[in-house]
Amino acid sequence: MSARLGCVVRSLRSRRGLSALTLALTILAASPLLAVRTLKDELGNPVVVPDHPHRIVCLIPSVVDDVYALGAGEDVIAVSDFTRYPAAARGKPSIGLPLSPSLEMIVALHPDLVLGSADLNRPETARQLSRLGIAAFMVNPHGLSGVYRSLLSLGLALNREAAAHALVEQLKAQERSVRERAAQRPQVRVFLPVWYDPIVTIGGRSFLSELIETAGAVSITDSIAQEWPQISLEVVMAHQPDALVLIKDGKVTFHDLENRPGWDTLPAVRNRRVYYLDDRAEFPSPIAFQALEDFEKQLNP
C-alpha cells in the first residue's frame, strides 16, 4: 500500500460510522488505477501494456521511426544509439546499444512501455525488463510485409490502430506505384558489395534484396539463402552484373573497387555503372520507402 493510500485509510478508519462501501470507494478514488490490456507481441509473448502509454523507450532505431510515423513521437522519452531518423528523435536521451541497453537507465526513466525488435535486441533484454515489472513489447519485421505487420502490431500496442492502418495503406500504395513503374522497363542485374576483403554481400533473405527487386533490379546473389553471405570474386565475375549498388556514404566506395585487382575486369566497373542506396534503406520501417523511391528514380532517370 502506498504512503498516500495508507494515510487515507487511517484517516477514514478514525471516523466512526463510515460504511465499508464508502471506505472502499474512497480508497479507489485516492488510488487511480491504470487501465491495461494483455497483448501478444510478435515473438508470441504476452505483454501487459497500458491503454494509453505516454512514457515510451525504444530499443532500436527502426522502432523509433515506426513510433514517430504513427504519431506518438512526443511520448518517446529515450532511444538507442545510432538513432538518426526522424531528425526530431536525435536529441532524445540514449539508453545505449541495441544489443546491450542499460537496464539501470531504463528503470530510472520509469517507462510505461518499452518497444524493441528481434532484429538487434536480445530476447533476454525483454525478459529482464519483464522481471523488473516493465512492459516490453517486441516486433519482428522481415521484408516489406514484415514492416506492414509490425506497424499494425505497434499501432495496437500504442492504441493508435487507425493511424497504423492508414499508414500501412499509404506505404502499400507507394510500393505498388514503384512496382508499376519498374514493370515498364527491363530488369537490371546488380551486385551489392557490403565489404570487399573478404567479399560479403546480400542474400535473398536480406531486406535490401527485396527493396532492390521492388525498384526493378535483381541482385545476382538473391538465390543464396543466407542473409549476409560471403562469396568469391570468381562468383561475381561468373554472374557479370550489369551494375553495382553501393550504400551511399557507406564503408565501400567505387574508388575502393576500381583499384582492387580483378574488379576492373567487371563490365560494371569498367563502364562505371553504379547506383546508390542511402542508409535509410537499412531500416525496416517507413523511412525505407523514401530510399526505395530514390533508388527507383536512379534506375529510371
Side-chain angles (χ1 to χ4, degrees):
M1 183 181 296
S2 69
R4 178 191 175 203
L5 188 55
C7 290
V8 172
V9 172
R10 287 191 295 272
S11 174
L12 291 174
R13 282 176 174 169
S14 67
R15 303 177 187 177
R16 295 181 179 179
L18 191 64
S19 71
L21 178 59
T22 303
L23 176 63
L25 292 175
T26 307
I27 289 174
L28 288 174
S31 180
L33 299 177
L34 182 66
V36 297
R37 300 161 293 150
T38 299
L39 307 175
K40 277 196 174 182
D41 68 10
E42 292 189 6
L43 300 184
N45 300 315
V47 184
V48 178
V49 303
D51 268 358
H52 299 284
H54 291 298
R55 295 186 61 79
I56 300 168
V57 170
C58 299
L59 299 178
I60 187 173
S62 60
V63 169
V64 177
D65 184 45
D66 288 333
V67 174
Y68 271 79
L70 291 171
E74 291 186 0
D75 294 324
V76 174
I77 58 172
V79 299
S80 75
D81 288 355
F82 309 122
T83 294
R84 295 192 293 276
Y85 303 106
R90 295 175 192 168
K92 300 282 185 177
S94 174
I95 44 78
L97 295 167
L99 278 174
S100 54
S102 169
L103 296 182
E104 292 81 5
M105 288 185 67
I106 295 174
V107 171
L109 289 167
H110 303 292
D112 51 23
L113 184 60
V114 174
L115 301 173
S117 171
D119 279 340
L120 287 177
N121 300 134
R122 296 181 297 119
E124 179 59 22
T125 298
R127 288 194 290 267
Q128 289 174 319
L129 290 169
S130 180
R131 287 195 291 268
L132 292 169
I134 298 174
F137 188 94
M138 307 294 283
V139 294
N140 191 25
H142 286 284
L144 294 175
S145 62
V147 173
Y148 301 143
R149 183 180 61 251
S150 291
L151 286 170
L152 294 176
S153 296
L154 291 170
L156 182 61
L158 298 174
N159 212 344
R160 292 176 178 266
E161 292 177 84
H165 282 280
L167 178 58
V168 167
E169 289 306 310
Q170 173 193 322
L171 296 177
K172 285 183 175 180
Q174 279 186 258
E175 180 189 351
R176 285 194 301 270
S177 179
V178 169
R179 288 188 181 278
E180 288 169 3
R181 293 195 299 271
Q184 298 174 18
R185 60 177 184 271
Q187 198 172 52
V188 182
R189 297 172 63 257
V190 301
F191 175 65
L192 190 157
V194 177
W195 191 241
Y196 49 76
D197 188 18
I199 299 174
V200 178
T201 185
I202 55 175
R205 295 178 59 196
S206 168
F207 183 58
L208 294 177
S209 288
E210 184 173 0
L211 289 182
I212 286 170
E213 181 273 329
T214 303
V218 59
S219 168
I220 62 169
T221 53
D222 72 345
S223 61
I224 301 176
Q226 299 100 309
E227 193 168 5
W228 307 105
Q230 181 178 321
I231 63 174
S232 67
L233 181 58
E234 288 72 22
V235 171
V236 181
M237 294 174 66
H239 282 83
Q240 291 289 294
D242 302 319
L244 298 177
V245 175
L246 300 179
I247 302 298
K248 187 177 182 181
D249 299 324
K251 295 180 179 180
V252 178
T253 68
F254 187 79
H255 179 75
D256 292 329
L257 300 180
E258 68 177 346
N259 287 288
R260 295 191 67 81
W263 286 87
D264 57 350
T265 64
L266 286 172
V269 174
R270 289 202 310 270
N271 298 329
R272 305 183 68 83
R273 192 175 180 190
V274 57
Y275 302 107
Y276 289 93
L277 273 169
D278 68 43
D279 66 349
R280 294 172 299 175
E282 299 176 320
F283 297 88
S285 64
I287 198 72
F289 288 77
Q290 296 180 20
L292 172 64
E293 294 268 5
D294 290 347
F295 184 63
E296 190 275 332
K297 289 176 183 177
Q298 292 178 59
L299 295 173
N300 186 27

